[in-house]
Amino acid sequence: MRRASACSPGSTAPGHVVYAGTASKTLAPALRLGWLVLPAALVEPVAEAKRLADAHTPSLGQLVLADLITGHAYDRHVRAARLRYRRRRDALVEALRSRAPHVRVLGVAAGLHALLLLPDGGPGEHEIMARAAARGLALQPLGEFWQRPDGRPPGLVVGYSTPLQSGYPAALDALCSVLRYKA
């Protein structure tokens, strides 16, 4: 663990800042483990609230996570995962750039999903979704995320963390095939 630097938000009001985190995305959602870094005045009240609300958190999982953190194995795991997913995203962007250049990839190179905007006049979300289902791909239409999808650009949300590494090139091939478009 690191101490807050002079530039961090907690350094200006350390008695009013709470840091929270979870291991659900980095290790496994089923662990249901998270953490809080609290100002000293909140430690006892929060511990008491936790005790009253949930006395069933397994101790073994907490101890293993604490050991992973103090031994820096958790940091190494997170760094390796970031690199692995960055490479997957880079491969996705490169495949789309060379084989489906009409599709725009938006978003920052972080997370586990990419936003793909479909071209005007090309196949819409529903057609792409049908093609994807036929090829065994699980994509999400962007329209489901808009409160009012009318007038919004058609697109897809593509997760790139799920396929096994050995199956990732085939998944990229299938995605590029699904996105083929003739102007």
Side-chain angles (χ1 to χ4, degrees):
M1 291 287 197
R2 295 183 286 171
R3 295 181 64 104
S5 71
C7 312
S8 71
S11 66
T12 57
H16 300 281
V17 175
V18 173
Y19 294 98
T22 178
S24 65
K25 294 272 184 175
T26 56
L27 293 178
L31 290 176
R32 302 192 70 225
L33 288 173
W35 59 86
L36 296 171
V37 179
L38 302 166
L42 292 179
V43 172
E44 287 304 319
V46 169
E48 180 64 10
K50 167 74 169 111
R51 186 186 68 74
L52 294 172
D54 177 23
H56 306 293
T57 305
S59 297
L60 183 59
Q62 293 178 63
L63 293 170
V64 169
L65 180 59
D67 190 53
L68 288 172
I69 290 170
T70 58
H72 303 286
Y74 184 73
D75 288 339
R76 287 189 299 274
H77 167 72
V78 169
R79 279 194 298 277
R82 282 183 182 147
L83 179 60
R84 183 171 50 253
Y85 294 128
R86 170 67 65 102
R87 287 179 177 155
R88 281 181 175 229
R89 186 182 191 285
D90 291 348
L92 169 68
V93 169
E94 184 54 38
L96 292 173
R97 183 177 297 134
S98 64
R99 296 166 49 200
H102 54 281
V103 174
R104 279 191 10 202
V105 181
L106 296 181
V108 296
L112 303 173
H113 296 83
L115 175 63
L116 309 184
L117 292 184
L118 302 173
D120 292 333
E125 290 178 3
H126 296 294
E127 184 179 338
I128 296 293
M129 293 301 294
R131 290 182 190 177
R135 297 291 303 266
L137 295 176
L139 308 175
Q140 291 182 287
L142 182 58
E144 291 180 0
F145 294 93
W146 295 111
Q147 184 175 4
R148 295 184 191 114
D150 297 336
R152 304 289 187 186
L156 304 168
V157 178
V158 177
Y160 49 85
S161 66
T162 303
L164 295 174
Q165 187 58 37
S166 60
Y168 194 62
L172 286 178
D173 288 343
L175 177 64
C176 289
S177 174
V178 161
L179 292 171
R180 282 213 180 91
Y181 160 73
K182 293 180 183 160

